[in-house]
Amino acid sequence: MWNKDKSLLLSRIAVGIFMAVALFWIVAAPTLTKLFLDFSRSPMQGMSRQQTLLCFLATQYLSLPVAGTLLWNLHRLLQRIGRSEVFVRANERALRRISWCCLIEAAICVLSCLYYLPFLFVAIAAGFMALIVRVIKNVFAEAIALKDENDFTI
């Protein structure tokens, strides 16, 4: 039967897998990007293959620290939830950082639209995720304020 502990474990495993993929991507990005460019038929705004490769690699290597920061904060958030530390300031800060990571990634993708328009879809998705996480962060902030108020009530 599915329960909160299994759900939390699944979330932690998924974060671990994404962390492993990000570490793998650091090394494999040049090769995988070359394969993508060989496969892709989309025009790259009149740029040479080398320029296109450099632009894609720049986007990816700018995105990797952002993704790493997001995943680390998500990992720490899940650790605290696993210890039943849900409505604490550290979780509010983690959610704030996660939302900023989504917004930064949206900006990187908007800039990347200058050479590859399909990045617009990623930018929209990342911007929408930033909004959702920011709303959840605000809910956490209110819950933390209520919890603090109740803790001080005699």
Side-chain angles (χ1 to χ4, degrees), residues 8-24:
L8 186 61
L9 177 63
L10 179 63
S11 297
R12 293 178 80 175
I13 289 169
V15 169
I17 290 169
F18 277 105
M19 284 180 171
V21 168
L23 290 173
F24 167 76

Side-chain angles (χ1 to χ4, degrees), residues 96-124:
R96 180 182 297 113
R97 286 189 292 264
I98 290 168
S99 72
W100 277 108
C101 286
C102 292
L103 195 61
I104 291 166
E105 190 55 42
I108 290 169
C109 289
V110 164
L111 290 174
S112 298
C113 288
L114 295 173
Y115 72 90
Y116 190 65
L117 193 57
F119 273 117
L120 180 62
F121 298 111
V122 180
I124 291 169

Side-chain angles (χ1 to χ4, degrees), residues 26-153:
I26 291 170
V27 176
T31 301
L32 295 174
T33 303
K34 287 175 187 174
L35 288 172
F36 170 76
L37 291 176
D38 289 341
F39 176 76
S40 177
R41 295 184 181 166
S42 298
M44 304 298 171
Q45 309 300 329
M47 297 186 329
S48 72
R49 178 177 166 74
Q50 187 64 25
Q51 290 170 324
T52 302
L53 177 65
L54 291 174
C55 286
F56 268 99
L57 289 175
T59 297
Q60 292 172 69
Y61 285 123
L62 284 172
S63 296
L64 280 167
V66 177
T69 302
L70 185 150
L71 289 168
W72 178 251
N73 279 282
L74 192 54
H75 168 73
R76 297 288 292 145
L77 176 72
L78 292 170
Q79 277 184 330
R80 284 188 292 273
I81 290 172
R83 293 189 307 256
S84 296
E85 299 171 12
V86 180
F87 296 115
V88 295
R89 295 281 174 211
N91 288 347
E92 179 188 357
R93 286 189 300 271
L95 287 167
R96 180 182 297 113
R97 286 189 292 264
I98 290 168
S99 72
W100 277 108
C101 286
C102 292
L103 195 61
I104 291 166
E105 190 55 42
I108 290 169
C109 289
V110 164
L111 290 174
S112 298
C113 288
L114 295 173
Y115 72 90
Y116 190 65
L117 193 57
F119 273 117
L120 180 62
F121 298 111
V122 180
I124 291 169
F128 189 67
M129 283 307 303
L131 176 63
I132 291 171
V133 173
R134 183 56 62 144
V135 169
I136 292 169
K137 191 251 353 144
N138 290 337
V139 169
F140 263 67
E142 283 298 314
I144 291 165
L146 287 173
K147 178 183 164 283
D148 289 346
E149 186 176 311
N150 283 340
D151 288 346
F152 291 121
T153 303

